Amino acid sequence: MPPSLPIRRVVLYKHGVGYFERRGRVTGSDTLHFDFKARDMNDVLKSMTVLDLSGGSVSAVSYDSTKPLEQLLEEATIRIPDSGSLTALLGQIKGARVRVRVGREQQVEGVIVGLESLPVAQGETAVHRPFLTLLVGASLRTFDLLDVAELTFLDDTVRKDLEFYLATVLSSYKKDTKRLSVLTAGEGERELFVSYVLEAPVWKTSYRILLDEEQKPLLQGWAVVDNTGDEDWEDVDLALIAGLPVSFVHDLYNPRYMKRPVVEVRTEAAAAPVIPEEGFAAEEEVAEEPMMDMARIAPAASAPAPMMKTFGAARGGGGPGGMREARERSAGVKTLTKEVGDLFEYRVDHPVTVHRNQSALVPILHRPFEGRRVLLYNRATREKNPMACIELKNTTGLTLEGGPVTVTEADTYVGEAMLDTMKPDDKRFVPFAVELGCVVSVDDRTDEGPVRKAVVNRGVLTVEFYNFRRTHYTVRNKAKRAQTLYLEHPRTGWQLEDGQEPDETTDNFWRFKRELAAGASEDFSVTEYSGGYRTYYLSDTGLDEVSFFLSSRFIDERVAQGLREVIAVRERVSRLDEDERRLEQEREKLFKDQERIRANIETLKSGASQRELAERFVTKLNEQEDRLEAIARELERVVREKREAQDEVNRKLQALSFTADLGTPPAPKGRG
């Protein structure tokens, strides 16, 4: 039997891998066998480390091929059917040297000649039995195969072929399993170390918080680990790593082939020799990265803390004193912790056993912490009631991985929550229940504040003002005890009015702390302001708007007079626009009349009366041509004057400049 190399250390990570260490004793040139699932072979080949800790060496590591079973069996020189396996095997290895033991004493060495079935008398009948014929020296000897107690193969080739065939057939029983063999070399008994990384379920955490009015609250932490492998973890050193180191899958198991070009030899002429070109620089040698020996990492110890013996609240004496007594009687949880770069390690100081395809809860924490019961109101979470929370400060000295929390108070389950990952001294609110004994009503109102500034520049009047949003909270504490309420008000880009300062600020909320007396009500308002703008284009302003701007002190009398002049010039532009439109309409009408007259002239025939009518049409056309020339001159004048008037409007507007400070902005407060 090959030596066993049991699992001694397991390190589980949060990104779906596990680090495994095996240690054991080997003797001489023992070969170790490990079975892995096919999907794990890439991780094993990428990460496996094999060390002989006693001066020996590892000569090679071999593993099963990716060929199908049928193809592997075709390569074997031996075939063994399901029935008649012994006679079929001996019939295939004629010429092999063997040693047979017949009965208890007689041993004979010879060469297999063959098998034959001979009749043997049994009473009145004859039974055919197999007989093995051997060439012993210069003579042939026949033995009843049923009398042969032992048969030893003396040819190494035959023995290895048989072992290969049997190992291949055995591997077929687990089609998803691949065998990896470590070949060692050395003398005497030695210690061997093997480590590798495999895909593994993510370890999980869950917590219990025990509230007690007379003592500090207690935090108990458990790690949930899953052994989905085919091997038990017997008394292993278990460590749990929080963090996200880089990990990936790379295909090293499947053979990789490169397509080569096909070159044909020309037979009609001799091939000229190929002379390689000279290289200008040698290829850079790739330095192998040193592999970190995780077995050498020695976690630093932290002070032990008490551990609860049971999952739920301990019942003792039938009252609140039972919880306190159970806390005092609890066994110790000695979890060793340390920082490993950006990672955090929990190491259980006692051996852990998890059988194959089973899971286990492992205690990793049992310590008191600074915290108290408070209320947290967030309108988006629940509009009418706040949440009962634990104001938890991580004074355990450990990094707390995120997970579910079960809360008990006075020996009673009171709710559940989710805990985010917390570094030492971090502070969190852990909401676990709705506080129905406290009711909150909210009233919103938005008002537009006075204008604080007006600016005239480049023909645009910009008015700056402030919008005020007032949120009024009414809180009624119907409980018979005083309570502390943290009210979360959303941050939406507005600023707090002067005089209001939040007790805490988060990324998205201001928190205001209120002390609520028993059975009392309290009103609380949050006032915010935000800047707003209105824009007026002065080129479109009328006299009524000028009067409004002047009365509102957006402009002064000088700017108002300039705007009146602009309006007057703009009115002149409007009159010139009307003249231009009237002249263009008259010109268009004359063009159409001339087309009609020319068409009539074309239809007239010769004769005295026809000539008189044609002359009259020609005279009319001459008069219209004179009017068209006059219209063209008038249009030219109108367009010129309109352009000059529009330029004058633009110059006057660009010349207007004014700034009015009409108020003092509120002082911003509570910026996070």
Side-chain angles (χ1 to χ4, degrees), residues 576-594:
L576 291 172
D577 275 340
E578 183 63 29
D579 292 343
E580 182 181 11
R581 185 166 52 255
R582 178 180 52 78
L583 291 172
E584 287 180 347
Q585 290 176 353
E586 184 181 357
R587 184 172 59 181
E588 184 67 24
K589 184 177 179 181
L590 289 175
F591 284 156
K592 292 182 179 179
D593 196 32
Q594 284 185 335

PDB file of all heavy atoms in Angstrom, residues 576-594:
ATOM      1  N   LEU A 576     -39.989  99.667 -40.544  1.00  0.00           N
ATOM      2  CA  LEU A 576     -39.235  99.424 -41.783  1.00  0.00           C
ATOM      3  C   LEU A 576     -39.497  98.012 -42.302  1.00  0.00           C
ATOM      4  O   LEU A 576     -39.552  97.800 -43.520  1.00  0.00           O
ATOM      5  CB  LEU A 576     -37.739  99.624 -41.526  1.00  0.00           C
ATOM      6  CG  LEU A 576     -37.312 101.083 -41.259  1.00  0.00           C
ATOM      7  CD1 LEU A 576     -35.851 101.139 -40.833  1.00  0.00           C
ATOM      8  CD2 LEU A 576     -37.523 101.939 -42.515  1.00  0.00           C
ATOM      9  N   ASP A 577     -39.672  97.065 -41.407  1.00  0.00           N
ATOM     10  CA  ASP A 577     -40.039  95.701 -41.829  1.00  0.00           C
ATOM     11  C   ASP A 577     -41.374  95.711 -42.561  1.00  0.00           C
ATOM     12  O   ASP A 577     -41.549  95.037 -43.587  1.00  0.00           O
ATOM     13  CB  ASP A 577     -40.136  94.781 -40.603  1.00  0.00           C
ATOM     14  CG  ASP A 577     -38.791  94.205 -40.209  1.00  0.00           C
ATOM     15  OD1 ASP A 577     -37.894  94.188 -41.059  1.00  0.00           O
ATOM     16  OD2 ASP A 577     -38.640  93.780 -39.043  1.00  0.00           O
ATOM     17  N   GLU A 578     -42.321  96.473 -42.037  1.00  0.00           N
ATOM     18  CA  GLU A 578     -43.631  96.560 -42.677  1.00  0.00           C
ATOM     19  C   GLU A 578     -43.524  97.204 -44.043  1.00  0.00           C
ATOM     20  O   GLU A 578     -44.153  96.758 -45.022  1.00  0.00           O
ATOM     21  CB  GLU A 578     -44.582  97.344 -41.771  1.00  0.00           C
ATOM     22  CG  GLU A 578     -45.997  97.432 -42.294  1.00  0.00           C
ATOM     23  CD  GLU A 578     -46.663  96.083 -42.399  1.00  0.00           C
ATOM     24  OE1 GLU A 578     -46.297  95.178 -41.607  1.00  0.00           O
ATOM     25  OE2 GLU A 578     -47.541  95.904 -43.283  1.00  0.00           O
ATOM     26  N   ASP A 579     -42.711  98.324 -44.162  1.00  0.00           N
ATOM     27  CA  ASP A 579     -42.514  98.965 -45.471  1.00  0.00           C
ATOM     28  C   ASP A 579     -41.877  98.001 -46.456  1.00  0.00           C
ATOM     29  O   ASP A 579     -42.275  97.947 -47.634  1.00  0.00           O
ATOM     30  CB  ASP A 579     -41.635 100.215 -45.312  1.00  0.00           C
ATOM     31  CG  ASP A 579     -42.343 101.321 -44.528  1.00  0.00           C
ATOM     32  OD1 ASP A 579     -43.590 101.244 -44.409  1.00  0.00           O
ATOM     33  OD2 ASP A 579     -41.656 102.230 -44.016  1.00  0.00           O
ATOM     34  N   GLU A 580     -40.900  97.256 -46.010  1.00  0.00           N
ATOM     35  CA  GLU A 580     -40.219  96.303 -46.897  1.00  0.00           C
ATOM     36  C   GLU A 580     -41.188  95.232 -47.381  1.00  0.00           C
ATOM     37  O   GLU A 580     -41.200  94.884 -48.575  1.00  0.00           O
ATOM     38  CB  GLU A 580     -39.045  95.667 -46.157  1.00  0.00           C
ATOM     39  CG  GLU A 580     -38.241  94.691 -47.010  1.00  0.00           C
ATOM     40  CD  GLU A 580     -37.111  94.059 -46.238  1.00  0.00           C
ATOM     41  OE1 GLU A 580     -37.067  94.212 -44.994  1.00  0.00           O
ATOM     42  OE2 GLU A 580     -36.264  93.379 -46.872  1.00  0.00           O
ATOM     43  N   ARG A 581     -41.996  94.731 -46.493  1.00  0.00           N
ATOM     44  CA  ARG A 581     -42.965  93.708 -46.863  1.00  0.00           C
ATOM     45  C   ARG A 581     -43.998  94.271 -47.847  1.00  0.00           C
ATOM     46  O   ARG A 581     -44.380  93.605 -48.816  1.00  0.00           O
ATOM     47  CB  ARG A 581     -43.643  93.186 -45.588  1.00  0.00           C
ATOM     48  CG  ARG A 581     -44.589  92.021 -45.832  1.00  0.00           C
ATOM     49  CD  ARG A 581     -44.957  91.324 -44.540  1.00  0.00           C
ATOM     50  NE  ARG A 581     -45.457  92.243 -43.531  1.00  0.00           N
ATOM     51  CZ  ARG A 581     -44.774  92.655 -42.479  1.00  0.00           C
ATOM     52  NH1 ARG A 581     -43.540  92.217 -42.291  1.00  0.00           N
ATOM     53  NH2 ARG A 581     -45.308  93.511 -41.604  1.00  0.00           N
ATOM     54  N   ARG A 582     -44.468  95.526 -47.614  1.00  0.00           N
ATOM     55  CA  ARG A 582     -45.446  96.147 -48.524  1.00  0.00           C
ATOM     56  C   ARG A 582     -44.858  96.344 -49.915  1.00  0.00           C
ATOM     57  O   ARG A 582     -45.510  96.056 -50.939  1.00  0.00           O
ATOM     58  CB  ARG A 582     -45.893  97.479 -47.944  1.00  0.00           C
ATOM     59  CG  ARG A 582     -46.882  98.263 -48.814  1.00  0.00           C
ATOM     60  CD  ARG A 582     -47.266  99.556 -48.154  1.00  0.00           C
ATOM     61  NE  ARG A 582     -46.120 100.337 -47.754  1.00  0.00           N
ATOM     62  CZ  ARG A 582     -45.393 101.079 -48.610  1.00  0.00           C
ATOM     63  NH1 ARG A 582     -45.675 101.101 -49.898  1.00  0.00           N
ATOM     64  NH2 ARG A 582     -44.360 101.779 -48.166  1.00  0.00           N
ATOM     65  N   LEU A 583     -43.626  96.834 -50.011  1.00  0.00           N
ATOM     66  CA  LEU A 583     -42.988  97.057 -51.315  1.00  0.00           C
ATOM     67  C   LEU A 583     -42.772  95.730 -52.055  1.00  0.00           C
ATOM     68  O   LEU A 583     -42.957  95.658 -53.281  1.00  0.00           O
ATOM     69  CB  LEU A 583     -41.662  97.779 -51.126  1.00  0.00           C
ATOM     70  CG  LEU A 583     -41.757  99.239 -50.656  1.00  0.00           C
ATOM     71  CD1 LEU A 583     -40.380  99.784 -50.318  1.00  0.00           C
ATOM     72  CD2 LEU A 583     -42.427 100.109 -51.736  1.00  0.00           C
ATOM     73  N   GLU A 584     -42.364  94.708 -51.338  1.00  0.00           N
ATOM     74  CA  GLU A 584     -42.148  93.412 -51.997  1.00  0.00           C
ATOM     75  C   GLU A 584     -43.456  92.837 -52.516  1.00  0.00           C
ATOM     76  O   GLU A 584     -43.498  92.229 -53.596  1.00  0.00           O
ATOM     77  CB  GLU A 584     -41.491  92.443 -51.016  1.00  0.00           C
ATOM     78  CG  GLU A 584     -40.025  92.759 -50.740  1.00  0.00           C
ATOM     79  CD  GLU A 584     -39.424  91.782 -49.759  1.00  0.00           C
ATOM     80  OE1 GLU A 584     -40.202  91.048 -49.122  1.00  0.00           O
ATOM     81  OE2 GLU A 584     -38.181  91.760 -49.623  1.00  0.00           O
ATOM     82  N   GLN A 585     -44.558  93.028 -51.758  1.00  0.00           N
ATOM     83  CA  GLN A 585     -45.859  92.557 -52.239  1.00  0.00           C
ATOM     84  C   GLN A 585     -46.283  93.314 -53.496  1.00  0.00           C
ATOM     85  O   GLN A 585     -46.821  92.720 -54.442  1.00  0.00           O
ATOM     86  CB  GLN A 585     -46.902  92.731 -51.140  1.00  0.00           C
ATOM     87  CG  GLN A 585     -46.734  91.783 -49.968  1.00  0.00           C
ATOM     88  CD  GLN A 585     -47.733  92.044 -48.866  1.00  0.00           C
ATOM     89  OE1 GLN A 585     -48.481  93.034 -48.912  1.00  0.00           O
ATOM     90  NE2 GLN A 585     -47.733  91.171 -47.842  1.00  0.00           N
ATOM     91  N   GLU A 586     -46.060  94.670 -53.534  1.00  0.00           N
ATOM     92  CA  GLU A 586     -46.403  95.459 -54.728  1.00  0.00           C
ATOM     93  C   GLU A 586     -45.581  95.014 -55.923  1.00  0.00           C
ATOM     94  O   GLU A 586     -46.095  94.881 -57.053  1.00  0.00           O
ATOM     95  CB  GLU A 586     -46.181  96.943 -54.442  1.00  0.00           C
ATOM     96  CG  GLU A 586     -46.610  97.846 -55.607  1.00  0.00           C
ATOM     97  CD  GLU A 586     -46.364  99.317 -55.327  1.00  0.00           C
ATOM     98  OE1 GLU A 586     -45.906  99.632 -54.190  1.00  0.00           O
ATOM     99  OE2 GLU A 586     -46.614 100.133 -56.217  1.00  0.00           O
ATOM    100  N   ARG A 587     -44.287  94.776 -55.711  1.00  0.00           N
ATOM    101  CA  ARG A 587     -43.434  94.333 -56.815  1.00  0.00           C
ATOM    102  C   ARG A 587     -43.888  92.969 -57.333  1.00  0.00           C
ATOM    103  O   ARG A 587     -43.926  92.740 -58.544  1.00  0.00           O
ATOM    104  CB  ARG A 587     -41.981  94.263 -56.341  1.00  0.00           C
ATOM    105  CG  ARG A 587     -41.003  93.896 -57.438  1.00  0.00           C
ATOM    106  CD  ARG A 587     -39.574  94.019 -56.969  1.00  0.00           C
ATOM    107  NE  ARG A 587     -39.311  93.144 -55.822  1.00  0.00           N
ATOM    108  CZ  ARG A 587     -38.134  93.079 -55.215  1.00  0.00           C
ATOM    109  NH1 ARG A 587     -37.121  93.849 -55.638  1.00  0.00           N
ATOM    110  NH2 ARG A 587     -37.978  92.284 -54.194  1.00  0.00           N
ATOM    111  N   GLU A 588     -44.250  92.097 -56.460  1.00  0.00           N
ATOM    112  CA  GLU A 588     -44.712  90.781 -56.882  1.00  0.00           C
ATOM    113  C   GLU A 588     -46.002  90.893 -57.694  1.00  0.00           C
ATOM    114  O   GLU A 588     -46.186  90.195 -58.702  1.00  0.00           O
ATOM    115  CB  GLU A 588     -44.924  89.900 -55.645  1.00  0.00           C
ATOM    116  CG  GLU A 588     -45.324  88.461 -55.946  1.00  0.00           C
ATOM    117  CD  GLU A 588     -44.220  87.687 -56.624  1.00  0.00           C
ATOM    118  OE1 GLU A 588     -43.029  88.083 -56.457  1.00  0.00           O
ATOM    119  OE2 GLU A 588     -44.517  86.698 -57.314  1.00  0.00           O
ATOM    120  N   LYS A 589     -46.892  91.813 -57.292  1.00  0.00           N
ATOM    121  CA  LYS A 589     -48.142  92.009 -58.034  1.00  0.00           C
ATOM    122  C   LYS A 589     -47.881  92.556 -59.432  1.00  0.00           C
ATOM    123  O   LYS A 589     -48.510  92.140 -60.420  1.00  0.00           O
ATOM    124  CB  LYS A 589     -49.038  92.960 -57.249  1.00  0.00           C
ATOM    125  CG  LYS A 589     -50.407  93.173 -57.871  1.00  0.00           C
ATOM    126  CD  LYS A 589     -51.266  94.075 -56.995  1.00  0.00           C
ATOM    127  CE  LYS A 589     -52.636  94.299 -57.631  1.00  0.00           C
ATOM    128  NZ  LYS A 589     -53.486  95.203 -56.806  1.00  0.00           N
ATOM    129  N   LEU A 590     -46.918  93.508 -59.556  1.00  0.00           N
ATOM    130  CA  LEU A 590     -46.571  94.053 -60.881  1.00  0.00           C
ATOM    131  C   LEU A 590     -45.988  92.965 -61.774  1.00  0.00           C
ATOM    132  O   LEU A 590     -46.274  92.924 -62.977  1.00  0.00           O
ATOM    133  CB  LEU A 590     -45.579  95.207 -60.718  1.00  0.00           C
ATOM    134  CG  LEU A 590     -46.151  96.509 -60.107  1.00  0.00           C
ATOM    135  CD1 LEU A 590     -45.043  97.530 -59.882  1.00  0.00           C
ATOM    136  CD2 LEU A 590     -47.224  97.095 -61.020  1.00  0.00           C
ATOM    137  N   PHE A 591     -45.134  92.095 -61.224  1.00  0.00           N
ATOM    138  CA  PHE A 591     -44.558  91.012 -62.032  1.00  0.00           C
ATOM    139  C   PHE A 591     -45.666  90.122 -62.607  1.00  0.00           C
ATOM    140  O   PHE A 591     -45.638  89.764 -63.796  1.00  0.00           O
ATOM    141  CB  PHE A 591     -43.609  90.169 -61.181  1.00  0.00           C
ATOM    142  CG  PHE A 591     -42.279  90.830 -60.920  1.00  0.00           C
ATOM    143  CD1 PHE A 591     -41.508  90.483 -59.814  1.00  0.00           C
ATOM    144  CD2 PHE A 591     -41.788  91.798 -61.792  1.00  0.00           C
ATOM    145  CE1 PHE A 591     -40.297  91.082 -59.583  1.00  0.00           C
ATOM    146  CE2 PHE A 591     -40.570  92.393 -61.553  1.00  0.00           C
ATOM    147  CZ  PHE A 591     -39.817  92.050 -60.451  1.00  0.00           C
ATOM    148  N   LYS A 592     -46.647  89.808 -61.798  1.00  0.00           N
ATOM    149  CA  LYS A 592     -47.734  88.957 -62.286  1.00  0.00           C
ATOM    150  C   LYS A 592     -48.572  89.677 -63.343  1.00  0.00           C
ATOM    151  O   LYS A 592     -49.022  89.061 -64.325  1.00  0.00           O
ATOM    152  CB  LYS A 592     -48.614  88.527 -61.122  1.00  0.00           C
ATOM    153  CG  LYS A 592     -47.930  87.574 -60.160  1.00  0.00           C
ATOM    154  CD  LYS A 592     -48.879  87.145 -59.051  1.00  0.00           C
ATOM    155  CE  LYS A 592     -48.205  86.163 -58.107  1.00  0.00           C
ATOM    156  NZ  LYS A 592     -49.095  85.744 -57.014  1.00  0.00           N
ATOM    157  N   ASP A 593     -48.807  91.003 -63.183  1.00  0.00           N
ATOM    158  CA  ASP A 593     -49.588  91.771 -64.165  1.00  0.00           C
ATOM    159  C   ASP A 593     -48.858  91.855 -65.490  1.00  0.00           C
ATOM    160  O   ASP A 593     -49.461  91.781 -66.570  1.00  0.00           O
ATOM    161  CB  ASP A 593     -49.891  93.164 -63.603  1.00  0.00           C
ATOM    162  CG  ASP A 593     -51.014  93.864 -64.372  1.00  0.00           C
ATOM    163  OD1 ASP A 593     -51.919  93.142 -64.862  1.00  0.00           O
ATOM    164  OD2 ASP A 593     -50.966  95.090 -64.481  1.00  0.00           O
ATOM    165  N   GLN A 594     -47.517  92.017 -65.430  1.00  0.00           N
ATOM    166  CA  GLN A 594     -46.738  92.077 -66.672  1.00  0.00           C
ATOM    167  C   GLN A 594     -46.799  90.745 -67.427  1.00  0.00           C
ATOM    168  O   GLN A 594     -46.862  90.730 -68.666  1.00  0.00           O
ATOM    169  CB  GLN A 594     -45.288  92.438 -66.345  1.00  0.00           C
ATOM    170  CG  GLN A 594     -45.091  93.915 -66.016  1.00  0.00           C
ATOM    171  CD  GLN A 594     -43.630  94.258 -65.828  1.00  0.00           C
ATOM    172  OE1 GLN A 594     -42.828  93.412 -65.487  1.00  0.00           O
ATOM    173  NE2 GLN A 594     -43.292  95.517 -66.059  1.00  0.00           N
TER     174      GLN A 594
END
